[in-house]
Amino acid sequence: MKKSSKKKPTWTDLKRQLADLDRPALLGLIQDLYAASKSNQAFLHARFALGEDVLEPYKTLNP
């Protein structure tokens, strides 16, 4: 019996799956990621320049 070798998922694999999602599904995914952790929230706030000092959470993580 041949042992199946599973490779780790890559960005390409994920991108292929994301391409099949419609807008509401993508928004739901982002909402789930946002709710999952404070780090995700800080990243999204910084990425979309929401708030006054969007890099502040990262400054406290790496003094």
Side-chain angles (χ1 to χ4, degrees):
M1 181 177 241
K2 187 177 180 181
K3 187 177 182 181
S4 69
S5 59
K6 291 228 175 199
K7 65 176 183 133
K8 286 188 173 184
T10 64
W11 168 244
T12 303
D13 299 326
L14 182 58
K15 191 165 81 170
R16 191 175 302 122
Q17 293 293 317
L18 292 172
D20 292 337
L21 298 179
D22 60 7
R23 183 178 174 89
L26 285 171
L27 288 173
L29 173 63
I30 294 169
Q31 183 179 21
D32 290 346
L33 289 171
Y34 187 87
S37 76
K38 294 285 185 190
S39 294
N40 290 349
Q41 290 176 18
F43 172 79
L44 290 167
H45 292 169
R47 175 64 176 83
F48 293 100
L50 302 174
E52 291 182 24
D53 185 5
V54 295
L55 296 180
E56 189 273 327
Y58 296 103
K59 293 174 187 173
T60 59
L61 291 176
N62 298 309

